[in-house]
Amino acid sequence: MKRIFMLLTTAILLASCGDAKPKKAEEATQEETKVEAKAEETKSEEATQEAAKTEATDEKVAEEVALEITGDDAMKFDKNELRVKAGQKVTLTLKHVGKSPKDQMGHNWVLLKKGTDLAGFATKAMAAKDKDYIPSEDDIIAHTKLLGGGESDSVTFVAPEKGEYDYLCSFPGHYAMMKGKLIVE
Ligand code: ZN
């Protein structure tokens, strides 16, 4: 009787051992699947990062743009329209291609914030001779220095949101002739 009981116990132990084995194997398989899944995840993550990097590089190419505009002794800009893309880093160079001195035929390039009244700004600018006709920076996105004939100056700014923005020369009396639009696409 005792012996039979022992055998039974052994059998049960063996049986449970036998049960345990496939379970462990199953777990191992699941573990493997998990690891594989994780590897896949890492791979696709890497791919995403790679794609993002490529995109960033592509964007960088178009991220910066250089513009040039001239002003002359006939009180004219050579362009009344400039185009950029929103968020682009813009470097604008103004060249005074005339010969007249700054106090007679001074030119600057002043880009106004959206909604700023051009004539109102120009009137305020007239009274700001001591600041080279830049009355305050509040209405301005960017501006160059005031130039005389033969001089040039560059200004760098980030193109604002899509829309149309007025630019002008704020030297007294010039804005009627010397104005244009920066179109942000
Ligand atoms: Zn001017």
Side-chain angles (χ1 to χ4, degrees), residues 71-72 75-77 94 96 102 104-109 146-147 168-175 178:
D72 60 17
M75 211 197 290
K76 274 184 184 162
F77 282 133
L94 170 67
H96 191 320
K102 186 164 98 170
Q104 285 174 25
M105 185 56 73
H107 296 319
N108 60 10
W109 183 85
L146 186 69
L147 308 175
L168 73 152
C169 169
S170 68
F171 191 88
H174 284 200
Y175 85 93
M178 300 186 77

Short mmCIF file of all heavy atoms in Angstrom, two decimals, residues 71-72 75-77 94 96 102 104-109 146-147 168-175 178, ligand 1:
data_model
loop_
_atom_site.label_atom_id
_atom_site.label_comp_id
_atom_site.label_asym_id
_atom_site.label_seq_id
_atom_site.Cartn_x
_atom_site.Cartn_y
_atom_site.Cartn_z
N GLY A 71 18.18 100.18 -54.45
CA GLY A 71 17.53 101.48 -54.48
C GLY A 71 18.45 102.41 -55.26
O GLY A 71 19.68 102.23 -55.22
N ASP A 72 17.87 103.36 -56.01
CA ASP A 72 18.73 104.20 -56.86
C ASP A 72 18.48 105.69 -56.63
O ASP A 72 17.68 106.08 -55.76
CB ASP A 72 18.54 103.81 -58.33
CG ASP A 72 17.10 104.00 -58.79
OD1 ASP A 72 16.33 104.70 -58.10
OD2 ASP A 72 16.74 103.42 -59.83
N MET A 75 14.95 107.34 -56.83
CA MET A 75 14.00 107.03 -55.75
C MET A 75 13.16 105.80 -56.04
O MET A 75 11.95 105.80 -55.89
CB MET A 75 13.08 108.24 -55.52
CG MET A 75 12.61 108.40 -54.08
SD MET A 75 11.18 109.48 -53.96
CE MET A 75 11.90 111.06 -54.34
N LYS A 76 13.84 104.74 -56.49
CA LYS A 76 13.11 103.52 -56.83
C LYS A 76 13.82 102.27 -56.30
O LYS A 76 15.05 102.17 -56.37
CB LYS A 76 12.97 103.39 -58.35
CG LYS A 76 11.78 104.14 -58.89
CD LYS A 76 11.66 103.89 -60.40
CE LYS A 76 10.52 104.71 -60.98
NZ LYS A 76 10.63 104.85 -62.43
N PHE A 77 13.00 101.33 -55.82
CA PHE A 77 13.49 99.97 -55.59
C PHE A 77 13.42 99.25 -56.94
O PHE A 77 12.57 99.58 -57.78
CB PHE A 77 12.56 99.21 -54.63
CG PHE A 77 12.72 99.55 -53.17
CD1 PHE A 77 11.60 99.80 -52.38
CD2 PHE A 77 13.98 99.57 -52.57
CE1 PHE A 77 11.73 100.09 -51.02
CE2 PHE A 77 14.11 99.86 -51.21
CZ PHE A 77 12.98 100.11 -50.43
N LEU A 94 20.19 95.10 -49.16
CA LEU A 94 19.81 96.31 -49.88
C LEU A 94 21.08 96.98 -50.39
O LEU A 94 22.03 97.17 -49.64
CB LEU A 94 19.06 97.27 -48.94
CG LEU A 94 18.81 98.69 -49.50
CD1 LEU A 94 17.84 98.66 -50.67
CD2 LEU A 94 18.29 99.62 -48.40
N HIS A 96 22.39 100.39 -52.37
CA HIS A 96 22.10 101.71 -52.92
C HIS A 96 23.02 101.87 -54.12
O HIS A 96 24.23 102.05 -53.97
CB HIS A 96 22.37 102.78 -51.86
CG HIS A 96 21.86 104.14 -52.24
ND1 HIS A 96 21.95 104.65 -53.52
CD2 HIS A 96 21.24 105.11 -51.50
CE1 HIS A 96 21.41 105.87 -53.54
NE2 HIS A 96 20.96 106.16 -52.32
N LYS A 102 23.55 110.14 -48.27
CA LYS A 102 22.48 109.60 -47.44
C LYS A 102 21.45 110.66 -47.03
O LYS A 102 20.26 110.38 -46.96
CB LYS A 102 23.15 108.99 -46.19
CG LYS A 102 22.23 108.25 -45.25
CD LYS A 102 23.02 107.37 -44.31
CE LYS A 102 23.23 108.06 -42.97
NZ LYS A 102 23.78 107.11 -41.96
N GLN A 104 20.45 113.21 -48.63
CA GLN A 104 19.61 113.71 -49.75
C GLN A 104 18.76 112.60 -50.36
O GLN A 104 17.61 112.83 -50.74
CB GLN A 104 20.50 114.28 -50.85
CG GLN A 104 21.08 115.65 -50.51
CD GLN A 104 22.06 116.11 -51.57
OE1 GLN A 104 22.00 115.70 -52.73
NE2 GLN A 104 22.99 116.96 -51.16
N MET A 105 19.34 111.44 -50.52
CA MET A 105 18.66 110.33 -51.19
C MET A 105 18.93 109.04 -50.41
O MET A 105 19.40 108.05 -50.94
CB MET A 105 19.15 110.22 -52.64
CG MET A 105 18.48 109.19 -53.54
SD MET A 105 16.71 109.29 -53.72
CE MET A 105 16.52 110.75 -54.75
N GLY A 106 18.65 109.11 -49.11
CA GLY A 106 18.89 107.94 -48.26
C GLY A 106 17.86 106.85 -48.53
O GLY A 106 16.70 107.12 -48.82
N HIS A 107 18.32 105.58 -48.47
CA HIS A 107 17.39 104.46 -48.64
C HIS A 107 17.60 103.43 -47.54
O HIS A 107 18.74 103.13 -47.15
CB HIS A 107 17.63 103.74 -49.97
CG HIS A 107 17.37 104.58 -51.18
ND1 HIS A 107 16.29 105.45 -51.30
CD2 HIS A 107 18.06 104.69 -52.35
CE1 HIS A 107 16.33 106.04 -52.48
NE2 HIS A 107 17.40 105.61 -53.13
N ASN A 108 16.48 102.91 -47.08
CA ASN A 108 16.53 101.73 -46.22
C ASN A 108 15.43 100.78 -46.69
O ASN A 108 14.66 101.10 -47.60
CB ASN A 108 16.38 102.10 -44.72
CG ASN A 108 15.06 102.80 -44.42
OD1 ASN A 108 14.16 102.86 -45.25
ND2 ASN A 108 14.95 103.33 -43.21
N TRP A 109 15.42 99.62 -46.11
CA TRP A 109 14.37 98.64 -46.44
C TRP A 109 13.74 98.25 -45.11
O TRP A 109 14.42 97.71 -44.23
CB TRP A 109 14.98 97.42 -47.14
CG TRP A 109 13.97 96.39 -47.58
CD1 TRP A 109 13.25 96.39 -48.74
CD2 TRP A 109 13.56 95.21 -46.86
NE1 TRP A 109 12.44 95.28 -48.80
CE2 TRP A 109 12.61 94.54 -47.66
CE3 TRP A 109 13.92 94.65 -45.63
CZ2 TRP A 109 12.00 93.35 -47.27
CZ3 TRP A 109 13.32 93.47 -45.23
CH2 TRP A 109 12.37 92.81 -46.05
N LEU A 146 20.09 102.86 -42.86
CA LEU A 146 19.85 103.86 -43.90
C LEU A 146 21.16 104.04 -44.68
O LEU A 146 22.22 104.21 -44.09
CB LEU A 146 19.43 105.19 -43.25
CG LEU A 146 19.00 106.31 -44.22
CD1 LEU A 146 17.67 105.96 -44.89
CD2 LEU A 146 18.89 107.64 -43.47
N LEU A 147 21.05 103.96 -46.01
CA LEU A 147 22.26 103.96 -46.84
C LEU A 147 22.34 105.16 -47.77
O LEU A 147 21.32 105.67 -48.23
CB LEU A 147 22.29 102.69 -47.72
CG LEU A 147 22.11 101.34 -47.04
CD1 LEU A 147 22.04 100.24 -48.10
CD2 LEU A 147 23.24 101.06 -46.07
N LEU A 168 8.96 99.23 -47.27
CA LEU A 168 9.11 100.59 -47.78
C LEU A 168 10.50 101.11 -47.44
O LEU A 168 11.22 100.54 -46.61
CB LEU A 168 8.05 101.52 -47.17
CG LEU A 168 8.24 101.91 -45.69
CD1 LEU A 168 7.63 103.26 -45.41
CD2 LEU A 168 7.65 100.87 -44.75
N CYS A 169 10.81 102.24 -48.07
CA CYS A 169 11.94 103.04 -47.63
C CYS A 169 11.31 104.13 -46.78
O CYS A 169 10.38 104.82 -47.22
CB CYS A 169 12.68 103.65 -48.82
SG CYS A 169 13.89 104.90 -48.28
N SER A 170 11.80 104.27 -45.54
CA SER A 170 11.14 105.21 -44.62
C SER A 170 11.78 106.60 -44.62
O SER A 170 11.45 107.43 -43.78
CB SER A 170 11.12 104.62 -43.20
OG SER A 170 12.43 104.55 -42.65
N PHE A 171 12.69 106.86 -45.57
CA PHE A 171 13.24 108.22 -45.74
C PHE A 171 12.08 109.14 -46.13
O PHE A 171 11.23 108.75 -46.94
CB PHE A 171 14.32 108.20 -46.84
CG PHE A 171 15.14 109.45 -46.93
CD1 PHE A 171 16.29 109.60 -46.16
CD2 PHE A 171 14.77 110.49 -47.78
CE1 PHE A 171 17.07 110.75 -46.25
CE2 PHE A 171 15.55 111.65 -47.88
CZ PHE A 171 16.69 111.78 -47.11
N PRO A 172 12.03 110.37 -45.58
CA PRO A 172 10.88 111.25 -45.83
C PRO A 172 10.53 111.39 -47.31
O PRO A 172 11.38 111.68 -48.14
CB PRO A 172 11.35 112.60 -45.25
CG PRO A 172 12.28 112.21 -44.15
CD PRO A 172 12.99 110.98 -44.66
N GLY A 173 9.27 111.16 -47.61
CA GLY A 173 8.76 111.32 -48.97
C GLY A 173 9.02 110.17 -49.91
O GLY A 173 8.53 110.16 -51.04
N HIS A 174 9.76 109.16 -49.47
CA HIS A 174 10.12 108.07 -50.40
C HIS A 174 9.10 106.95 -50.51
O HIS A 174 9.05 106.24 -51.51
CB HIS A 174 11.49 107.46 -50.00
CG HIS A 174 12.64 108.33 -50.38
ND1 HIS A 174 13.92 107.86 -50.50
CD2 HIS A 174 12.71 109.66 -50.68
CE1 HIS A 174 14.74 108.85 -50.83
NE2 HIS A 174 14.01 109.96 -50.93
N TYR A 175 8.28 106.78 -49.47
CA TYR A 175 7.44 105.57 -49.44
C TYR A 175 6.42 105.50 -50.57
O TYR A 175 6.02 104.41 -50.97
CB TYR A 175 6.75 105.42 -48.08
CG TYR A 175 5.46 106.19 -47.94
CD1 TYR A 175 4.23 105.58 -48.24
CD2 TYR A 175 5.46 107.52 -47.55
CE1 TYR A 175 3.05 106.28 -48.13
CE2 TYR A 175 4.27 108.23 -47.45
CZ TYR A 175 3.07 107.61 -47.73
OH TYR A 175 1.91 108.31 -47.62
N MET A 178 8.80 104.19 -53.16
CA MET A 178 9.63 103.05 -52.73
C MET A 178 8.86 102.18 -51.74
O MET A 178 9.02 102.30 -50.53
CB MET A 178 10.93 103.54 -52.11
CG MET A 178 11.78 104.37 -53.08
SD MET A 178 13.38 104.80 -52.40
CE MET A 178 14.29 103.27 -52.57
ZN ZN B 1 14.74 106.01 -49.96
#
